[in-house]
Amino acid sequence: GIVALAPTLVFGAMVAAGRFQDERADREAVALGAARELNAHVDAELNGALSALSVLATSTAISEEDWPRARARVQGVLRDQPLWRDVFLTDAISHREVWSIQGEGRAPRVREHVLAFIEGNQLDRRIGNVGGRAPGCPCVVLHQPIVRNDQLRYVLSAEVSVDNIQAALNRAVQEPNVGGIVDRRGNFVARTISPQEMLGRPASTYLPDAIHRGSSGVYEGTTLEGLRNRTAFETSTFSGFSSHVAVPRSGLSILGAGSLG
């Protein structure tokens, strides 16, 4: 009887395995779609902030190098930009800070992320990584180059809170599913697990390793908490930031039963 049932059992196992593969593929596709939607939201947020920063950089006060008036102009704009934690102008030649909204009465300083932007010869990469020193940071750092006579003369920068990005992640990835967004260095911009503690900190090595292998896909790894998972991800061609959404490792787990690294 066992021999007679063997073909039926094998066929049933093959059918179950096929269904499992199809279900996993479907779930991975859904997770990858969620990662793409997150990228679209993050790109829209950052593009809006860059546009506002670009308008500020073309103000008459800055073109005339009337710094008290330029600083006052920025202070007025900040009332309509509640996520902006600081705005500051840097001399691209001396690398010294000319003025800062948060730095009144403070000695000028050199900010590492601005220096990297100036010396990195990547003026088209106006979206920096997570950083900043203003209250409410780490933030996403944005830069607007100001050119005089075909030479980079100043850089207007803004440190922008990631609160809206975190809120978008929380809406897109509900418990028990988990997800995260990292900058180009692999540091967290947002995370569903311990977001305040993890902001600006490195993700597990599985995330940057996956990013280096391609712009999107699914990988398996272990989180900072020691949990195994499969994760769908996609990297934005606009910001270089990458969104990651967990997928199940087996048919016994629901989507996101693991955790994102």
Side-chain angles (χ1 to χ4, degrees), residues 5 25 28 70-71 125 134 147 161 204 244 257:
L5 286 174
E28 290 177 355
R71 189 172 180 275
R125 178 146 282 179
V147 177
S161 167
S204 64
H244 300 246

Side-chain angles (χ1 to χ4, degrees), residues 43-55 81 84 126 142 158 160:
D43 287 352
E45 285 279 337
L46 296 178
N47 189 49
L50 282 174
S51 297
L53 191 65
S54 177
V55 171
Q81 300 289 347
W84 290 26
R126 297 163 56 201
L142 307 178
V160 181

Side-chain angles (χ1 to χ4, degrees), residues 2-136:
I2 295 175
V3 172
L5 286 174
T8 302
L9 295 174
V10 171
F11 178 75
M14 292 176 61
V15 170
R19 288 176 178 172
F20 165 71
Q21 293 294 336
D22 290 344
E23 181 181 2
R24 190 174 78 171
D26 289 344
R27 290 176 176 176
E28 290 177 355
V30 170
L32 188 57
R36 289 172 178 163
E37 289 182 7
L38 278 169
N39 279 351
H41 180 90
V42 173
D43 287 352
E45 285 279 337
L46 296 178
N47 189 49
L50 282 174
S51 297
L53 191 65
S54 177
V55 171
L56 278 176
T58 60
S59 68
T60 303
I62 288 182
S63 65
E64 294 177 352
E65 300 190 2
D66 185 344
W67 303 139
R69 189 156 60 95
R71 189 172 180 275
R73 159 85 170 144
V74 171
Q75 285 178 315
V77 170
L78 286 185
R79 287 192 287 269
D80 297 322
Q81 300 289 347
L83 295 178
W84 290 26
R85 301 299 183 234
D86 196 7
V87 178
F88 45 93
L89 188 77
T90 303
D91 188 315
I93 297 175
S94 69
H95 297 168
R96 303 296 291 179
E97 186 178 289
V98 179
W99 52 263
S100 166
I101 296 301
Q102 297 286 350
E104 188 172 10
R106 185 188 63 204
R109 60 183 177 181
V110 179
R111 306 202 191 202
E112 293 180 0
H113 50 71
V114 180
L115 189 61
F117 175 73
I118 295 171
E119 295 186 339
N121 197 27
Q122 292 183 322
L123 299 186
D124 58 330
R125 178 146 282 179
R126 297 163 56 201
I127 300 172
N129 292 304
V130 175
R133 300 178 182 177

Side-chain angles (χ1 to χ4, degrees), residues 68-254:
R69 189 156 60 95
R71 189 172 180 275
R73 159 85 170 144
V74 171
Q75 285 178 315
V77 170
L78 286 185
R79 287 192 287 269
D80 297 322
Q81 300 289 347
L83 295 178
W84 290 26
R85 301 299 183 234
D86 196 7
V87 178
F88 45 93
L89 188 77
T90 303
D91 188 315
I93 297 175
S94 69
H95 297 168
R96 303 296 291 179
E97 186 178 289
V98 179
W99 52 263
S100 166
I101 296 301
Q102 297 286 350
E104 188 172 10
R106 185 188 63 204
R109 60 183 177 181
V110 179
R111 306 202 191 202
E112 293 180 0
H113 50 71
V114 180
L115 189 61
F117 175 73
I118 295 171
E119 295 186 339
N121 197 27
Q122 292 183 322
L123 299 186
D124 58 330
R125 178 146 282 179
R126 297 163 56 201
I127 300 172
N129 292 304
V130 175
R133 300 178 182 177
C137 289
C139 301
V140 175
V141 183
L142 307 178
H143 305 291
Q144 174 61 45
I146 299 174
V147 177
R148 299 279 191 269
N149 300 320
D150 297 325
Q151 180 185 21
L152 179 63
R153 188 65 185 87
Y154 300 102
V155 177
L156 185 66
S157 305
E159 295 175 353
V160 181
S161 167
V162 299
D163 286 354
N164 280 2
I165 296 175
Q166 180 65 54
L169 178 63
N170 291 342
R171 289 192 299 269
V173 184
Q174 301 289 329
E175 292 185 354
N177 306 344
V178 290
I181 301 170
V182 296
D183 64 14
R184 291 186 297 276
R185 296 176 301 185
N187 293 339
F188 280 112
V189 177
R191 193 177 192 240
T192 56
I193 299 176
S194 305
Q196 295 301 319
E197 293 81 359
M198 297 308 300
L199 176 58
R201 291 184 55 189
S204 64
T205 57
Y206 295 98
L207 276 75
D209 288 348
I211 295 169
H212 291 155
R213 290 194 297 269
S215 60
S216 67
V218 178
Y219 62 91
E220 186 168 347
T222 304
T223 73
L224 296 172
E225 293 81 13
L227 301 174
R228 298 293 301 275
N229 67 89
R230 287 179 61 79
T231 300
F233 81 99
E234 183 171 274
T235 302
S236 165
T237 57
F238 176 69
S239 66
F241 291 3
S242 183
S243 296
H244 300 246
V245 179
V247 296
R249 294 184 63 248
S250 72
L252 299 177
S253 64
I254 60 175

